[in-house]
Amino acid sequence: CTFSYVYSWGEFDGSVNHGEAIQLQGSNGQATPCNIHHNIFRDQQTNGDVVAVIGGTQTYNFYDNVDFCSAGGTSTTCRHNDGVIGCFNSQTCANVKVFNNTFAEPSNCGFNVSGGPSTITWENNLFYGCGSMTTNNGSGGTSTIDYNSYLKSNISARGAHDVVDSSAANPFVNSNGGNFQLTSDGANFN
């Protein structure tokens, strides 16, 4: 399965609807991992960008995506109740890889797994202005979190090679206009 080149804008989770940009059910990606790549998730008020519910096993790669909040990440403008990635009920997220993504201003930039024991690799991502980062991998799960950059975020390093700079300037050409190219190479995100 593949989910790519989609501009998802304004997904909303409220008392009437249960919202995620991508909701996975059953088992997906067993023979070949699903690929979720080159998407833009903008102004989401959801449980997460990708959330697995109901029984089964999910295996996927989440890469080269941009998740941003054009109005800044607050509970009333943008939020991920359970982080960017979620895996709940009796779901198992097996060999999920999250890499080479840009997260700018969503309130919760991490992952929350409360289903079966899961394996998650979370590397080489750029976080700018994130309010928090949940890294809950439930009972018996394993997580590899390293080589990430946390700029102007309320996040401490999770891995030995992570970069943290709480006073970093905005590294993007024009994030308000949706241009997330880097203004230059830098030690904080290279």
Side-chain angles (χ1 to χ4, degrees):
C1 63
T2 298
F3 187 88
S4 60
Y5 301 99
V6 174
Y7 195 107
S8 178
W9 188 356
E11 295 292 324
F12 180 76
D13 176 63
S15 60
V16 176
N17 58 327
H18 190 32
E20 295 88 34
I22 302 169
Q23 185 182 88
L24 301 172
Q25 299 181 5
S27 293
N28 295 289
Q30 301 311 293
T32 303
C34 292
N35 289 300
I36 302 166
H37 63 92
H38 294 96
N39 300 293
I40 297 174
F41 301 96
R42 178 179 180 183
D43 297 339
Q44 309 282 317
Q45 294 185 47
T46 65
N47 294 310
D49 289 340
V50 182
V51 177
V53 297
I54 308 178
T57 301
Q58 305 298 330
T59 301
Y60 61 89
N61 300 313
F62 185 87
Y63 63 94
D64 292 339
N65 298 291
V66 174
D67 181 330
F68 79 102
C69 184
S70 60
T74 69
S75 62
T76 57
T77 59
C78 291
R79 71 177 191 287
H80 295 309
N81 297 334
D82 298 304
V84 176
I85 305 295
C87 194
F88 302 104
N89 302 320
S90 56
Q91 278 286 334
T92 299
C93 286
N95 201 24
V96 169
K97 296 177 182 174
V98 179
F99 58 96
N100 296 344
N101 298 289
T102 298
F103 302 100
E105 306 281 352
S107 60
N108 186 349
C109 296
F111 57 87
N112 191 359
V113 176
S114 64
S118 298
T119 53
I120 296 177
T121 301
W122 193 270
E123 293 182 327
N124 201 35
N125 298 291
L126 174 60
F127 300 89
Y128 177 76
C130 292
S132 65
M133 184 171 172
T134 301
T135 54
N136 175 33
N137 197 349
S139 177
T142 58
S143 304
T144 301
I145 306 169
D146 208 354
Y147 298 97
N148 298 295
S149 293
Y150 308 106
L151 308 179
K152 195 181 167 193
S153 297
N154 188 26
I155 301 171
S156 59
R158 302 298 203 271
H161 304 97
D162 286 346
V163 173
V164 176
D165 185 344
S166 59
S167 61
N170 187 330
F172 308 115
V173 170
N174 181 1
S175 57
N176 290 334
N179 185 344
F180 289 92
Q181 289 182 305
L182 297 174
T183 56
S184 64
D185 284 338
N188 286 339
F189 43 81
N190 214 359

